[in-house]
């Protein structure tokens, strides 16, 4: 049994407390939040859990094996570093950190101490995204050509991050999970409509080494909620709509074929293939439930986290490059990678 302490019981923290409490392999023993009102709420909901306004007391608690951090992004680095230094395994919310240097430092600390460092890239634990990975790995889609997504709603304006760091992080983590390679170039534009607040609408384009391309549209100022992604491959294409109650993924046996000699481009003809649509059955287990179980197995059985610090770092690197591009009105920024592991 892994004893978890949760820091931050605002909007997302209660989901972590509920899932770590309901998972057999984990139990929540303490929650820290600066707000007495939030602590009052947890005392009413979970009288058995110890509460404190001081996260240092939670880190000093010898019963706590692992710490889950669900505070605003600006505090992730300090809290995670101190938790690791206190010998605790760490589960930290997305986006992992504010800078890639911070992410690298946390990875180094966790590896040196042989502790699990896990980033909550929630979507990769959903039935839909796990199924898409299966389809990609089985070659059902063929070579991946594009990822094109719209993630918009009348969103909660965040104080410390813009819409890219709040919403695009989900698509970047899904792409990191599905695409075999990393993007090599990023360009992004973003604007804000509230003085002194960060960008509320942004468009991000990513180019890969082969001709794969991704486009993400994120917006906190949309009148309706849309969570729709098109993924195109050389064999099949799919539509992933996270708001669909059951048929979240629809696979289309559609595509093009080329005929004629590749030497003579005028002789080449494009043929169109339109076959059946298929909606695979998906596992509907709550993503955070599976993630809590996976985190516990990483601690007790030495499994490697599917969203470890390195995955968190890859996403932060892209977000940093995207922010640089936004500052320079969409100038493409090259990404240098040190390999999948680091
Ligand atoms: N995985 C997801 O899908 C998902 C969804 C929403 C939010 N999040 C992430 O969760 C994190 C928190 O977001 P939120 O929307 O819950 O924020 P929030 O502002 O609603 O809640 C944060 C809570 O942390 C507390 N807090 C802040 N600093 C603290 C400290 N040093 N010690 C103790 N308590 C402290 C605050 O009092 C507040 O109750 C962010 O990183 C956000 O990106 C993830």
């Amino acid at each position: 049994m892994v004893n978890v302490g949760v820091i931050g019981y605002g909007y997302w923290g209660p989901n972590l407390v509920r899932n770590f409490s309901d998972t057999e392999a984990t139990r929540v023993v303490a929650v820290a939040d600066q707000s007495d009102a939030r602590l009052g709420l947890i005392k009413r909901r979970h009288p058995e859990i110890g509460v404190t306004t001081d996260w240092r007391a939670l880190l000093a608690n010898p019963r706590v094996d692992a710490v889950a951090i669900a505070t605003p992004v600006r505090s992730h680095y300090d809290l995670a570093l101190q938790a690791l230094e206190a010998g605790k395994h760490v589960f930290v919310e997305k986006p992992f950190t504010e800078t890639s240097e911070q992410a690298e430092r946390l990875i180094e600390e966790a590896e040196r101490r042989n502790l699990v460092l896990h980033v909550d890239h929630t979507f990769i634990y959903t039935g839909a995204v796990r199924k898409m990975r299966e389809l990609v790995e089985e070659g059902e889609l063929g070579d991946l050509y594009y990822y094109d997504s719209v993630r918009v709603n009348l969103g909660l304006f965040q104080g410390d991050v813009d819409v890219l760091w709040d919403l695009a992080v989900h698509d970047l983590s899904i792409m990191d999970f599905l695409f075999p390679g990393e993007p090599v170039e990023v360009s992004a534009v973003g604007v804000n409509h509230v003085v002194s607040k960060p960008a509320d609408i942004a468009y991000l384009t990513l180019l890969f080494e082969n001709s794969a391309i991704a486009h993400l549209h994120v917006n906190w100022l949309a009148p309706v909620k849309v969570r729709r992604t098109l993924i195109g491959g050389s064999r099949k294409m799919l539509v992933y709509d996270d708001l669909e109650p059951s048929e979240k993924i629809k696979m289309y046996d559609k595509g093009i074929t080329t005929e004629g000699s590749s030497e003579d481009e005028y002789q080449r003809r494009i043929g169109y293939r339109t076959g059946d649509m298929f909606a695979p059955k998906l596992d509907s287990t709550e993503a955070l439930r599976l993630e809590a179980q996976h985190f516990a197995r990483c601690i007790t059985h030495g499994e490697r986290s599917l969203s470890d610090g390195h995955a968190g770092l890859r996403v932060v690197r892209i977000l940093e490059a995207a922010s640089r591009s936004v500052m320079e009105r969409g100038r493409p920024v090259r990404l240098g990678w040190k390999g999948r592991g680091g």
Side-chain angles (χ1 to χ4, degrees), residues 23-80:
T23 300
E24 257 176 43
T26 58
R27 151 174 72 196
V28 178
V29 292
V31 172
D33 198 296
Q34 288 167 339
S35 151
D36 285 320
R38 299 305 297 172
L39 292 183
L41 186 63
I42 190 160
K43 271 195 260 179
R44 281 201 301 284
R45 286 180 183 164
H46 303 273
E48 73 290 356
I49 297 177
V51 298
T52 173
T53 50
D54 181 6
W55 55 270
R56 286 186 179 81
L58 186 142
L59 295 190
N61 182 342
R63 287 184 69 213
V64 172
D65 306 311
V67 173
I69 299 166
T71 56
V73 185
R74 60 177 174 273
S75 58
H76 288 183
Y77 173 69
D78 276 344
L79 293 174

Side-chain angles (χ1 to χ4, degrees), residues 7-8 10-12 33-34 55 70-72 76 93-94 120 122 170:
I7 307 180
Y11 164 67
W12 196 248
D33 198 296
Q34 288 167 339
W55 55 270
T71 56
H76 288 183
E93 266 318 313
K94 64 81 192 163
D120 182 11
T122 319
H170 291 306

